[in-house]
Amino acid sequence: MPHVITQACCNDASCVFACPVNCIHPTPDEPDFATSEMLYIDPDACVDCGACVRACPVDAIVPHTKVVTEQLPFLDINRSFYPERPQGVKLPPTSKLAPVLPAAELHQRGKYPLTVAIVGSGPAAMYAADELLTQQGVLVNMFEKLPTPYGLVRAGVAPDHQRTKLATRLFDEISWRRGFQFFLNVEVGRHVSHADLLQHHHAVLYASGALHDRRLEIEGMGLAGTGTATEIVGWYNGHPEFTGLPVDLSHERVVIVGNGNVALDVARILTSDPDRLVHTDIADYALAALRDSAVSEVVIVARRGPASSAFTLPELVGLTQTAEVVLDAHDHARVREDLATVQDNLTRQKLEILTKLGDASAPITRPRIRLAYELTPGRVLGQQRCTAVEFTVMGTDQVQRIDAGMVLSSIGYHGTPIADLPFDDNAGVVPNKGGRVIDPQTGQRVPGAYVSGWIKRGTNGFIGSNKSDSLKTIQTLAADYNAGLLTEPIAGPRAVARMVHAQQPDVIDAAGWKIIDKAEIARGAAQDRPRVKFTRVADMLDEVKDHSDLPLLQNMLGALRRS
Ligand code: SF4
């Protein structure tokens, strides 16, 4: 098997289009692409050219000769995506090459070049900018609430998944392109309004994600010690809004309700040997708290059975290689029952891994993770602080109590409304057609407003899934521009910088972000870490002010002149 895709796969699909023999699937035009946990190389069709390795933004593809021990399961995982056939027999070719989604084409109109404001700076925002900037002369202004860009890649990916964070290399490269400008530390809806942006741009594209967890609505959620897994992710990743989270690890057990990848991440970090994390970019205060932690078990609880586990196969493989994961005897029995009847290959592979887990009755010798199934949360117990959770065993009246000093929910995200745009509260998305925002009352387009990423399609997919999603939004936006449906900005490109600076003097531009980035990397280098993050906005601003030779506005205007 010449090449293999491994755990870090981000589903960006750049490799698909780089492959000369179309042996990486699913491709973005195939129906299972949107739900696929990763992409897979057909071992019998791969001709070992290495083109995909160079295309992958997160270094997830390796030749089989360089597969390291923990990547070995991915040989089978790649192979088993394809139907069994006699050795050497290739699949009938569907097409010579994967069909590349056509790039948006612009026909210049009006006085100013197409100028687009993008709100948010995570993967959906960066991929949208990437697509827009393939067109000559287009201007992209990116607005981000924090002084640092890249959204969940910086503040959501677990610190021990540094390879996934390599996507920032691609994002840096996009942000250096002619026509791109950062307006960081600027909150849309606070410092500038949707109307302000629309006046200065042909279009405003929201790629601000789905920031909030769905809440677990049971009695006792709200006691000290309860919260969401995402808050803990923000805390250990040094997100300024979660730096002050009162995280108390002076107890033995944490319960997480919900068993998706975020739950696995949090459980893995809370049970990790701090020495394993010491060379990552985890926040210093979080590392110190983990060193003092008394937590010896994190229980990840799911309402449904093992076959319905929400975590992905690559994450389960990674988890079992780095943490001690156990099951109770009755859950082992449930796994065996599910394995006897399972139909689909992916679930079978997950169940096979679960059958090999240790038994929870063994004494706890180091912090561990217990997966528990078929338990419905009833209420959290405690006076001021939580002390336990009561569950009902599925299909019975039996109540099971699990003692815990921290209870976290991890049952998915929900988008939050965006000022001045319609919102579908049930779906947690901005109503849209192909990324074009639609007013549900009238069925008409909301002039100049577009969405991409989770706020467009809901909370599904991985970092790279946003690439094809953003491309589709940009195709829609370009069609509207070509049809003359977008209004010209009221003034030229420099007016945006003046407007923003008047309303938020502490705006950070690309030069400012570079100062923060360089300082974090330098702080990290001294400790053999990729970076030591600033976790307070004030410290980030001080760093920029201390190292800027020019006032921020001059920096920004200088960048404009260069563009
Ligand atoms: Fe395709 Fe070449 Fe990568 Fe094999 S090594 S999957 S042939 S691009």
Side-chain angles (χ1 to χ4, degrees):
M1 177 171 184
H3 278 67
V4 58
I5 302 184
T6 63
Q7 189 194 344
C9 178
C10 70
N11 290 42
D12 156 307
S14 296
C15 58
V16 168
F17 305 112
C19 177
V21 293
N22 193 13
C23 72
I24 306 176
H25 295 269
T27 64
D29 66 314
E30 290 171 348
D32 45 350
F33 177 78
T35 53
S36 185
E37 294 188 349
M38 57 179 283
L39 306 180
Y40 309 88
I41 291 177
D42 180 348
D44 292 331
C46 175
V47 295
D48 204 13
C49 69
C52 52
V53 177
R54 293 186 289 280
C56 178
V58 294
D59 293 355
I61 307 180
V62 285
H64 83 290
T65 47
K66 294 205 175 140
V67 166
V68 295
T69 310
E70 60 267 29
Q71 293 169 331
L72 282 172
F74 288 90
L75 292 168
D76 267 349
I77 290 172
N78 278 249
R79 176 176 286 283
S80 63
F81 180 75
Y82 297 92
E84 281 196 21
R85 67 252 196 217
Q87 194 152 20
V89 173
K90 298 196 174 171
L91 290 176
T94 46
S95 66
K96 204 159 180 234
L97 287 175
V100 179
L101 297 169
E105 262 187 53
L106 293 174
H107 309 303
Q108 177 71 49
R109 7 179 359 116
K111 186 169 161 199
Y112 300 119
L114 175 63
T115 309
V116 179
I118 298 181
V119 182
S121 64
M126 295 310 299
Y127 282 121
D130 185 24
E131 192 55 35
L132 282 164
L133 293 169
T134 57
Q135 306 285 325
Q136 258 208 331
V138 172
L139 299 177
V140 172
N141 296 319
M142 185 167 285
F143 294 82
E144 162 62 51
K145 182 180 169 187
L146 291 175
T148 53
Y150 307 150
L152 282 181
V153 176
R154 178 178 165 99
V157 174
D160 57 346
H161 281 177
Q162 287 298 317
R163 197 172 268 207
T164 308
K165 295 189 188 222
L166 291 178
T168 58
R169 291 184 309 198
L170 170 68
F171 299 162
D172 277 338
E173 187 267 314
I174 294 166
S175 73
W176 295 329
R177 290 203 201 135
R178 183 179 284 267
F180 181 96
Q181 270 209 101
F182 269 138
F183 292 87
L184 306 170
N185 201 32
V186 179
E187 188 173 354
V188 176
R190 179 171 163 228
H191 300 114
V192 295
S193 66
H194 175 70
D196 290 333
L197 294 183
L198 205 50
Q199 274 193 330
H200 289 81
H201 300 84
H202 289 88
V204 185
L205 190 162
Y206 288 86
S208 44
L211 301 179
H212 295 283
D213 295 88
R214 285 180 195 280
R215 293 272 148 187
L216 181 61
E217 307 282 353
I218 60 168
E219 182 188 330
M221 284 305 281
L223 288 171
T226 64
T228 69
T230 307
E231 288 165 350
I232 299 295
V233 171
W235 172 77
Y236 61 59
N237 271 326
H239 188 299
E241 286 170 18
F242 300 100
T243 298
L245 202 69
V247 177
D248 179 351
L249 302 175
S250 62
H251 45 84
E252 289 180 5
R253 188 176 294 112
V254 174
V255 164
I256 306 178
V257 177
N259 69 356
N261 286 349
V262 176
L264 263 53
D265 276 348
V266 170
R268 193 181 65 254
I269 296 297
L270 292 181
T271 55
S272 274
D273 179 346
D275 287 339
R276 212 190 126 247
L277 301 172
V278 79
H279 296 299
T280 72
D281 62 352
I282 189 170
D284 281 344
Y285 58 76
L287 190 61
L290 291 172
R291 286 202 184 283
D292 289 340
S293 171
V295 172
S296 59
E297 185 175 67
V298 177
V299 187
I300 300 177
V301 183
R303 287 171 195 257
R304 297 193 290 168
S308 303
S309 295
F311 48 72
T312 61
L313 178 60
E315 288 304 309
L316 180 63
V317 169
L319 182 78
T320 53
Q321 287 169 344
T322 49
E324 184 179 348
V325 189
V326 296
L327 288 176
D328 280 320
H330 51 262
D331 282 322
H332 266 301
R334 288 183 177 118
V335 171
R336 286 193 297 273
E337 276 168 29
D338 284 359
L339 193 55
T341 56
V342 69
Q343 298 291 325
D344 85 280
N345 187 30
L346 192 67
T347 309
R348 182 182 50 73
Q349 291 179 82
K350 287 184 197 174
L351 293 171
E352 279 171 354
I353 292 173
L354 295 182
T355 60
K356 295 182 191 130
L357 297 180
D359 201 282
S361 61
I364 299 178
T365 54
R366 62 170 175 131
R368 70 181 193 182
I369 298 166
R370 175 155 56 103
L371 302 177
Y373 289 97
E374 301 189 6
L375 294 175
T376 304
R379 60 177 179 146
V380 178
L381 307 178
Q383 295 296 328
Q384 254 99 44
R385 283 201 66 82
C386 67
T387 52
V389 202
E390 279 183 357
F391 295 90
T392 310
V393 180
M394 196 174 82
T396 74
D397 294 335
Q398 196 190 324
V399 172
Q400 187 174 322
R401 173 186 158 137
I402 303 179
D403 292 338
M406 181 184 282
V407 179
L408 304 171
S409 62
S410 186
I411 52 174
Y413 295 92
H414 195 261
T416 39
I418 293 171
D420 303 317
L421 292 191
F423 193 69
D424 178 342
D425 205 30
N426 282 333
V429 299
V430 172
N432 70 92
K433 209 167 172 188
R436 181 189 292 120
V437 177
I438 300 292
D439 182 339
Q441 309 288 332
T442 62
Q444 301 295 308
R445 56 185 277 274
V446 175
Y450 298 84
V451 282
S452 185
W454 280 1
I455 201 68
K456 168 190 176 188
R457 66 178 194 273
T459 54
N460 57 62
F462 305 92
I463 289 173
S465 318
N466 293 296
K467 185 178 168 78
S468 46
D469 183 61
S470 290
L471 167 58
K472 286 173 196 156
T473 294
I474 299 305
Q475 285 172 330
T476 306
L477 191 158
D480 289 353
Y481 176 74
N482 293 339
L485 297 175
L486 303 183
T487 308
E488 282 270 289
I490 53 165
R494 293 181 194 192
V496 182
R498 282 195 291 272
M499 180 270 293
V500 174
H501 191 263
Q503 290 165 220
Q504 165 54 318
D506 285 334
V507 55
I508 303 280
D509 62 356
W513 157 235
K514 255 298 100 249
I515 290 168
I516 295 170
D517 190 33
K518 261 178 81 175
E520 288 187 344
I521 291 170
R523 284 154 39 124
Q527 301 174 32
D528 193 19
R529 300 171 65 182
R531 67 176 64 232
V532 172
K533 287 178 185 170
F534 292 103
T535 59
R536 287 167 14 109
V537 168
D539 293 341
M540 298 175 194
L541 299 184
D542 284 348
E543 185 67 25
V544 176
K545 281 176 189 148
D546 288 352
H547 293 88
S548 291
D549 297 332
L550 295 167
L552 293 175
L553 178 61
Q554 281 176 273
N555 270 350
M556 198 173 289
L557 293 176
L560 264 179
R561 276 192 291 277
R562 285 194 298 279
S563 68

